[in-house]
């Protein structure tokens, strides 16, 4: 799930990424906003993972989830999907 809140005066989109991957021990969010550097997501009691990012409003950002350090997954609720140079697709969030 992707939840967006806009801070108009700051030109910022606050995005909460929430992902559910059964059997995952850890999930990292990886995106182009920080050069594709993995960021650890926090685990909720229900087993889902979440992280909040402040992104510049009016842009689109590619991202993926990295599960247990080896499995790449898209967000099923992404705003769009675009091909990447590795023969698969990336999720897109539109701010």
């Amino acid at each position: 799930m992707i939840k967006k809140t806009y801070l108009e005066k700051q030109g910022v989109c606050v995005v909460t990424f929430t992902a559910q991957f059964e059997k995952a021990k850890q999930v990292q969010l990886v995106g182009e906003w920080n050069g594709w550097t993995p960021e650890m997501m926090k685990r909720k009691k229900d087993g889902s993972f979440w992280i909040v990012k402040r992104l510049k409003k009016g842009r689109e950002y590619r991202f993926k989830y990295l599960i247990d350090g080896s499995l790449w997954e898209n967000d099923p609720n992404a705003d769009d999907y675009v091909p990447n140079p590795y023969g698969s697709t990336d999720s897109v969030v539109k701010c």
Side-chain angles (χ1 to χ4, degrees):
M1 180 173 78
I2 298 173
K3 179 183 174 191
K4 302 174 202 170
T5 304
Y6 293 94
L7 304 177
E8 296 293 335
K9 290 182 181 180
Q10 297 174 24
V12 170
C13 176
V14 179
V15 183
T16 302
F17 295 88
T18 305
Q20 179 74 45
F21 296 104
E22 290 185 29
K23 300 179 184 177
K25 293 182 175 88
Q26 70 176 19
V27 178
Q28 295 171 294
L29 179 65
V30 186
E32 65 181 346
W33 52 81
N34 69 355
W36 297 93
T37 302
E39 298 179 77
M40 194 63 66
M41 297 177 74
K42 296 177 185 176
R43 184 189 289 267
K44 292 183 179 182
K45 289 182 181 181
D46 67 3
S48 63
F49 295 84
W50 68 278
I51 192 170
V52 176
K53 300 301 303 170
R54 293 171 61 95
L55 304 175
K56 186 174 179 180
K57 186 178 171 240
R59 291 201 47 207
E60 295 183 4
Y61 300 90
R62 293 176 181 233
F63 73 97
K64 287 187 94 83
Y65 297 111
L66 179 58
I67 300 153
D68 295 333
S70 62
L71 179 63
W72 294 94
E73 289 288 339
N74 281 322
D75 190 311
N77 299 302
D79 295 326
D80 201 0
Y81 304 94
V82 293
N84 64 34
Y86 305 103
S88 63
T89 59
D90 294 331
S91 299
V92 174
V93 61
K94 297 178 181 181
C95 289

